[in-house]
């Protein structure tokens, strides 16, 4: 019985994530941004001046793939690549002024979706889910670090 519950919970988490992403993508399509582009903008906005390599690590993508995403975002005037004053080979990423309006629109979509999904669920239940998910995240992060260390041996 325990294994069956664990499997159902794992599938439920995956299904909720997939459905949430699908609905977000459907709503955000009017802005012409892919989910990867939106995530890149969001991450750059939180860490202005990060490098392409750092962004690639955060997005769990190859640096060359992130480079193509950045090329499109730069062409749309959403991102600026600025030279690193200490390393001529490195570029620092910053949000361009043109990204503000689209980010506000996409943030509004995210806020509305969360409001709809969470509607009617008691705050105490949402806080319990947050604590459990934070524990999952912490433990999975620890598992990844152990697996990385084991691979180095």
């Amino acid at each position: 019985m325990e294994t069956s519950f664990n499997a159902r919970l794992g599938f439920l988490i995956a299904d909720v994530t997939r459905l949430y992403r699908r609905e977000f993508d459907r709503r955000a399509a009017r802005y012409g941004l892919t989910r990867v582009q939106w995530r890149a903008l969001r991450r750059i906005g939180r860490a202005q001046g990060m490098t392409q390599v750092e962004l690639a690590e955060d997005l769990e993508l190859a640096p060359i793939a992130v480079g193509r995403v950045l090329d499109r975002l730069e062409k749309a005037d959403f991102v600026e690549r600025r030279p690193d004053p200490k390393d001529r080979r490195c570029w620092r990423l910053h949000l361009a002024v043109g990204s503000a309006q689209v980010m506000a629109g996409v943030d509004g979509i995210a806020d509305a979706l969360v409001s709809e999904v969470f509607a009617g669920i008691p705050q105490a239940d949402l806080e319990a889910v947050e604590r459990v998910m934070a524990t999952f995240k912490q433990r999975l992060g620890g598992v990844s670090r152990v697996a990385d260390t084991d691979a180095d041996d």
Side-chain angles (χ1 to χ4, degrees), residues 24-40:
F24 180 88
D25 287 348
R26 186 187 69 74
R27 294 180 186 199
R30 67 179 163 200
Y31 290 101
L33 288 176
T34 66
R35 184 180 329 120
V36 170
Q37 290 170 332
W38 180 80
R39 288 179 59 220

Side-chain angles (χ1 to χ4, degrees), residues 50-62:
M50 71 185 323
T51 66
Q52 182 172 321
V53 170
E54 291 167 337
L55 180 62
E57 289 172 4
D58 285 354
L59 298 178
E60 296 180 344
L61 294 172

Side-chain angles (χ1 to χ4, degrees), residues 49-113:
M50 71 185 323
T51 66
Q52 182 172 321
V53 170
E54 291 167 337
L55 180 62
E57 289 172 4
D58 285 354
L59 298 178
E60 296 180 344
L61 294 172
I64 191 74
V66 170
R68 288 189 292 265
V69 169
L70 291 170
D71 289 344
R72 287 186 214 103
L73 291 172
E74 190 174 37
K75 186 175 181 178
D77 293 324
F78 293 149
V79 170
E80 295 176 1
R81 288 176 167 129
R82 298 179 191 164
D84 185 316
K86 297 179 184 174
D87 184 350
R88 291 180 22 203
R89 299 165 297 165
C90 183
W91 293 91
R92 296 287 172 175
L93 306 173
H94 297 269
L95 291 182
V97 175
S99 68
Q101 186 176 1
V102 74
M103 289 305 295
V106 174
D107 287 347
I109 289 170
D111 291 344
L113 183 56

Side-chain angles (χ1 to χ4, degrees), residues 1-9:
M1 181 76 174
E2 188 70 29
T3 302
S4 178
F5 171 80
N6 292 346
R8 283 194 322 269
L9 181 60

